Amino acid sequence: MMPTPEFRLSHFQAMVIFALLISVAFGFLSRRGAYQRARYILWSFVFFLIIGIGIGWAMYPFSH
Amino acid sequence: MPDEVPIAETIDPVPVAQSSSYTAEARERHRRDALALTIAAAAWFLPGLGHALLKMWGRALVCFSTVALLVILGAGMRGNIFSRNGEDAFAKLGYVADLGAGSFYFVARALEANGPDVSHANGDYGTRLLATAGVLNMLAALHAYEVARARKA
């Protein structure tokens, strides 16, 4: 098998991709119907980002 | 004492027809349990296969794609794929999480030809993505099992 190309992602890119993939998977597993799923995926994705960025800012004073 | 009733008289004998229907019901339940376990094993081995066997095509496609993307990204970011010879509890736990991806665990090992590099944040994120792929697949397998046992829609 060919080795996969090496990915270099920034912290933010990695977080966005992670949040998107997990939100889609959770949305499809836990909800039925296109509208319910879309709503869940959107909310879950937004909360992932808000909480991730929030934790990042909360840790900022300790890095200096 | 006049109120006392012999124990034998208090137990209603089960009618023959009811008893045979109970046996058929128990047999059906055992059959469904065995089928649910098979579906869970299939779902673990190949992400999405459990839902595909249950004809839940959307969920099957999403499970397969999500786990595949996480594994490809994790391996591409040179995350650590834990082996069974883990030295500490965290390595053993990481192995269990990675193994949750089923056959994709071996795909990840094959993809990561240059080995892991966790000296940078990139590799560390890759390790997390690989573990997430495994845990997500275990969750999907559990969901397929519950659906097969008719506990969930």
Side-chain angles (χ1 to χ4, degrees):
Chain A
M1 196 179 285
M2 276 183 62
T4 187
E6 208 168 312
F7 299 109
R8 289 259 164 228
L9 301 179
S10 69
H11 298 223
F12 186 72
Q13 284 170 333
M15 183 178 72
V16 168
I17 290 173
F18 176 87
L20 187 66
L21 290 176
I22 299 303
S23 299
V24 170
F26 278 7
F28 269 79
L29 281 178
S30 67
R31 293 288 183 274
R32 299 184 79 180
Y35 176 72
Q36 290 292 326
R37 280 177 178 168
R39 222 172 92 103
Y40 185 94
I41 290 167
L42 188 68
W43 276 110
S44 172
F45 179 66
V46 168
F47 276 122
F48 258 123
L49 293 191
I50 289 173
I51 292 169
I53 292 168
I55 290 173
W57 275 108
M59 290 193 299
Y60 179 72
F62 302 104
S63 65
H64 291 272
Chain B
M1 285 189 280
D3 289 343
E4 273 188 18
V5 179
I7 293 170
E9 287 179 24
T10 60
I11 301 169
D12 292 330
V14 179
V16 176
Q18 194 182 332
S19 167
S20 80
S21 85
Y22 173 76
T23 313
E25 197 180 299
R27 202 178 299 131
E28 172 60 24
R29 200 169 54 241
H30 282 134
R31 194 191 66 81
R32 203 189 303 150
D33 285 352
L35 184 70
L37 276 176
T38 310
I39 284 174
W44 166 76
F45 183 71
L46 185 65
L49 182 59
H51 287 98
L53 290 172
L54 292 165
K55 295 185 171 49
M56 294 175 147
W57 307 114
R59 281 172 173 158
L61 186 67
V62 166
C63 286
F64 182 85
S65 318
T66 312
V67 175
L69 277 171
L70 284 168
V71 164
I72 290 169
L73 277 171
M77 290 164 82
R78 296 184 67 183
N80 192 10
I81 305 165
F82 292 97
S83 68
R84 65 178 167 188
N85 306 318
E87 287 163 10
D88 55 15
F90 287 109
K92 285 184 171 63
L93 205 60
Y95 174 62
V96 172
D98 286 354
L99 204 61
S103 56
F104 279 30
Y105 172 80
F106 302 101
V107 172
R109 287 189 83 96
L111 284 174
E112 207 176 78
N114 296 329
D117 176 18
V118 289
S119 59
H120 302 98
N122 211 43
D124 209 26
Y125 291 149
T127 306
R128 309 293 161 242
L129 292 187
L130 289 166
T132 306
V135 176
L136 188 68
N137 189 42
M138 283 195 270
L139 187 71
L142 185 65
H143 184 269
Y145 174 76
E146 294 283 305
V147 171
R149 289 196 69 187
R151 282 189 188 168
K152 249 184 194 174

